[in-house]
């Protein structure tokens, strides 16, 4: 029997497959598309994602295919200088198109042994106390101990296991695509600059190889269109909207792809149904799997609130614009600027670990930056995806958890605590010098100790 089936070969599914394989878990990734998508839905990755790639030894691959851009304040498209004192060694945004991200993560997942199968469309899911079976559109079926749905906002897995997806529908759709233009570059830049003074959802910019990325507000909502979100976007429709906002269609032609997206904000009610998980996660105890929902669901809710706030501030109506001007003034304060950028880049995320979170050190629940060690850096030691005890005292031990947790003794770090225990994702689960408290956290996060 397969250990885990992952549905969806996007960044989430591929990264999860790689993580599971680092721990020897048998993984099959299913994706309904015959070939990887060429659509550039995302243009880059933020600080926390960059850190994760470095923790797994993948950052050099991303840097080779991407481009660094200065990290400044950009909440709701409001530009400010880079905040000071940002707690990271990666103070930049890495521009890299999503097909490149997918390719790197697929390469990594395959290297560590994941079985990626394309052209496999899941149509039904059945589970009992011991296993999950997925039925595919070709009539075949696969059975695994667990199933993880990483198949996007229209998740088939979410639907077939009956998890609701409440929230607000889109109130402002945007057309997007990649195409060629005939207008001279200097004239194009001047027009776009002028339009963007009042329309932050507008843009026409070079993407490389003579291709331009075009973004323009739609005239209607996909919910009102019988053809649906993807099939309702046409070159003529984009031309019409470009003329409406800019007075010209820039001579756009020969599109490579066209799509549209909205500002709908929805959150799955649950991330777990018994042996089925949604877009997210051994020696581990059974209840450890429940921490996935308890940790990530509040973070996702906060992301949606953040998104709602930014969407409101990007409205051209008079009242949101008044609030936008106020927020722009507040962002001139460094503390405000830094707070917002840390929220957007996810480096301020602190998980709630319950009682220990409230009684322990302030670091508990937070991710640890890439501190410098006597030889190398912390993230250099995290490529295997194991837990790690960074110990300045030399008096602690991981003892019977040594088969799954590394112990690094280094007194040269700039930490202000005797030791920290890190999960594979780099978040601190223990800070201090108490062996008994350390043992409790080792058991909580890494399961029962091995018998000698």
């Amino acid at each position: 029997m397969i250990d885990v089936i992952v549905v969806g070969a996007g960044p989430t599914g591929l990264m999860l497959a790689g993580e599971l394989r680092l721990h020897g878990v048998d993984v099959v990734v299913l994706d309904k598309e015959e070939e990887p998508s060429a659509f550039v839905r995302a243009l880059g990755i933020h600080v926390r994602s960059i850190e994760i790639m470095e923790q797994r030894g993948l950052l050099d691959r991303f840097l080779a295919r991407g481009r660094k851009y200065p990290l400044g304040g950009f909440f709701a498209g409001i530009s400010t200088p880079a905040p000071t004192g940002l707690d990271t060694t990666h103070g930049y945004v890495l521009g890299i198109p999503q097909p490149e991200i997918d390719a790197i993560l697929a390469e990594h997942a395959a290297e560590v042994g994941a079985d990626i199968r394309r052209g496999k469309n899941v149509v039904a899911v059945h589970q009992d106390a011991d296993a999950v079976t997925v039925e595919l559109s070709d009539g075949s079926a696969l059975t695994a101990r667990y199933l993880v749905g990483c198949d996007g906002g229209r998740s088939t897995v979410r639907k077939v296991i009956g998890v609701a997806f409440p929230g607000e529908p889109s109130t402002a759709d945007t057309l997007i695509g990649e195409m060629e233009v005939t207008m001279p570059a200097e004239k194009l830049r001047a027009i776009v600059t002028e339009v963007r003074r009042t329309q932050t959802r507008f843009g026409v910019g070079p993407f490389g190889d003579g291709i331009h990325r075009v973004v323009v507000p739609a005239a209607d909502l996909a919910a009102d269109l019988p053809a649906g979100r993807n099939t309702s976007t046409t070159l003529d429709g984009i031309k019409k909207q470009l003329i409406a906002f800019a007075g010209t269609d820039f001579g756009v032609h020969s599109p490579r792809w066209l799509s549209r997206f909205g500002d709908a904000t929805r959150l799955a009610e649950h991330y777990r149904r018994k042996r089925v998980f949604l877009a997210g996660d051994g020696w581990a105890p059974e209840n450890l799997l429940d921490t996935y929902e308890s940790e990530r669901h509040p973070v996702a809710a906060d992301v949606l609130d953040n998104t709602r706030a930014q969407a409101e501030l990007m409205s051209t109506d008079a009242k949101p614009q008044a609030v936008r001007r106020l927020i722009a003034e507040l962002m001139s304060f460094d503390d405000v600027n830094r707070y917002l950028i840390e929220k957007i880049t996810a480096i301020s995320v602190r998980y709630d670990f319950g009682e220990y979170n409230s009684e322990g050190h302030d670091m508990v629940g937070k991710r640890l930056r890439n501190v410098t060690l006597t030889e190398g850096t912390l993230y250099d030691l995290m490529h295997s995806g194991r837990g790690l005890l960074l110990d300045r005292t030399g008096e602690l031990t991981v003892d019977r958890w040594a088969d799954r947790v590394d112990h690094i003794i280094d007194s040269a770090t700039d930490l202000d605590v005797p030791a920290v225990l890190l999960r594979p994702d780099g978040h601190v689960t223990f800070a201090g010098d108490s062996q008994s408290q350390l043992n409790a956290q080792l058991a909580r996060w890494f399961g029962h100790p091995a018998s000698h």
Side-chain angles (χ1 to χ4, degrees), residues 328-374:
E329 290 181 20
L330 293 175
M331 287 175 66
S332 66
F333 294 96
D334 192 76
D335 285 348
V336 175
N337 192 25
R338 183 170 63 254
Y339 176 84
L340 292 175
I341 200 70
E342 287 181 349
K343 180 180 286 289
I344 291 176
T345 59
I347 64 174
S348 64
V349 170
R350 185 189 188 195
Y351 292 127
D352 183 0
F353 292 164
E355 181 179 351
Y356 187 77
N357 209 139
S358 61
E359 294 184 357
H361 193 279
D362 181 62
M363 293 175 63
V364 174
K366 296 180 179 179
R367 110 281 184 244
L368 183 61
R369 69 184 184 284
N370 191 16
V371 298
T372 301
L373 306 177
T374 301

Side-chain angles (χ1 to χ4, degrees), residues 175-179 181 203-205 212-216 238 242 252:
L175 307 180
I176 186 171
E178 293 176 9
M179 58 204 74
V181 303
V204 181
H212 282 65
R213 185 179 179 89
V214 175
V215 181
V216 62
I238 285 183
L242 288 173
V252 296

Side-chain angles (χ1 to χ4, degrees), residues 236-259:
D236 284 343
I238 285 183
K239 286 182 175 182
K240 180 180 178 181
Q241 289 307 102
L242 288 173
I243 292 172
F245 283 90
T248 175
D249 65 8
F250 300 94
V252 296
H253 66 96
S254 305
R256 293 203 299 195
W257 60 267
L258 304 171
S259 188

Side-chain angles (χ1 to χ4, degrees), residues 2 11 63 75 80 108 114 135 158 163 204 216 233 237 299 409 421:
I2 300 166
L63 293 177
F75 186 83
T80 59
H108 169 64
E135 295 180 12
R158 176 184 57 76
V163 172
V204 181
V216 62
T233 307
V299 172
I409 300 174
L421 176 65

